[in-house]
Amino acid sequence: MIVLWQFGPALGLPSASPFCIKAQTWLRLAGLEYEARNALTPRQAPLTKLPYVEVDGRKIADSGCIARELSAARGIDLDAALDARGRAVAHAFIRMAEEHLYWAVLYSRWLDPAHWEAMKRSFFAALPAVARGPVAKLVRRKVERDARGQGLALHSPEEIYRRGAADIAALADLLGERPYMMGAEASTLDASAYAMLASCWEAQLDTPLKAAVGQHPNLAAYCARMKLRCFS
Ligand SMILES: N[C@@H](CCC(=O)N[C@@H](CS)C(=O)NCC(=O)O)C(=O)O
């Protein structure tokens, strides 16, 4: 049995964390059974971030390592249909989704004052009311430090959302009218792309990133298709 440690549901999503949604999506695309358990803090995680899995007495941290190691151990290749160029394109889009669009999502939830109160209510709902304010303040301060260190959060809100919308437009152009990002079959990229897009589109927050996804009917239809396949 694979046990997936994740941040619990929030904002109407299966997890507050895009990377935990990615891990769940990948496990479902790979057809692997797992049990999702919610952690209150990432402190016990091997890399102090979620998700991680426990499998065969071992802990594997990081959604990318989880996918790579389980693929090797279970003889799974979601990218078998891709040629070298397809793999290169998918690789670059995964990096864009996870290392750039992710930070715009993070900004929209944690640092944009327009959405912070709703995020705080949902993310910290399991905490006793008296602890919620102080804990949220501490965590938000860490998120701000991380996001400024990464660099995107140093920009103006307009620029952050412009860049996030450009990533979303690139995903819409890659998808076109095909069912999955790389064609007829779901591939590793779909786990990352869906996780980031769902975190914009399906979250109960009216952010500029949600509006950006709404500009692309093919992405809205893709999210509905992926949700039905992986989370119904
Ligand atoms: N590269 C990692 C990123 C994981 C990640 O950033 N997780 C975030 C939640 S989305 C986290 O645990 N943050 C807690 C922290 O930084 O303290 C992966 O793919 O799993």
Side-chain angles (χ1 to χ4, degrees):
M1 173 55 91
I2 298 166
V3 175
L4 172 75
W5 285 96
Q6 65 155 5
F7 282 112
L11 303 170
L13 294 164
S15 171
S17 152
F19 287 102
C20 297
I21 297 177
K22 174 198 161 187
Q24 287 211 46
T25 305
W26 186 88
L27 285 163
R28 288 169 191 227
L29 291 176
L32 296 178
E33 290 202 8
Y34 66 96
E35 183 189 316
R37 292 195 194 151
N38 301 333
L40 271 183
T41 122
R43 253 182 262 137
Q44 326 77 330
L47 298 178
T48 64
K49 284 185 187 288
L50 296 170
Y52 72 95
V53 294
E54 286 176 338
V55 56
D56 302 330
R58 237 163 45 83
K59 290 181 180 171
I60 309 171
D62 188 293
S63 62
C65 299
I66 293 168
R68 196 186 59 234
E69 294 200 23
L70 289 178
S71 292
R74 311 281 172 111
I76 294 162
D77 185 1
L78 291 188
D79 300 330
L82 303 183
D83 61 13
R85 191 167 190 281
R87 283 175 189 254
V89 170
H91 176 82
F93 269 89
I94 289 170
R95 290 290 184 260
M96 182 193 78
E98 297 188 7
E99 307 298 339
H100 190 265
L101 179 54
Y102 165 75
W103 291 97
V105 174
L106 201 78
Y107 172 85
S108 71
R109 295 175 175 186
W110 289 86
L111 303 178
D112 186 337
H115 308 295
W116 166 238
E117 285 303 323
M119 173 64 181
K120 183 166 72 174
R121 260 197 315 278
S122 183
F123 189 83
F124 296 100
L127 288 185
V130 59
R132 208 170 295 150
V135 173
K137 198 169 164 186
L138 274 178
V139 178
R140 190 184 196 208
R141 204 177 294 151
K142 178 188 181 302
V143 169
E144 181 167 16
R145 209 170 46 236
D146 291 351
R148 291 177 69 84
Q150 186 271 344
L152 188 62
L154 297 172
H155 287 284
S156 67
E158 294 73 26
E159 181 62 18
I160 293 168
Y161 288 130
R162 191 180 302 125
R163 289 177 180 220
D167 292 348
I168 289 166
L171 285 165
D173 287 342
L174 179 70
L175 178 66
E177 294 311 314
R178 303 179 304 179
Y180 298 103
M181 285 291 163
M182 295 305 294
E185 304 291 334
S187 69
T188 306
L189 168 58
D190 289 289
S192 301
Y194 173 66
M196 298 306 150
L197 290 170
S199 297
C200 301
W201 180 241
E202 292 168 12
Q204 292 160 344
L205 292 179
D206 285 330
T207 68
L209 297 175
K210 176 182 271 193
V213 176
Q215 303 255 310
H216 303 282
N218 66 336
L219 287 185
Y222 170 79
C223 285
R225 214 159 40 242
M226 288 292 292
K227 186 174 180 179
L228 189 68
R229 173 161 174 185
C230 296
F231 291 94
S232 58

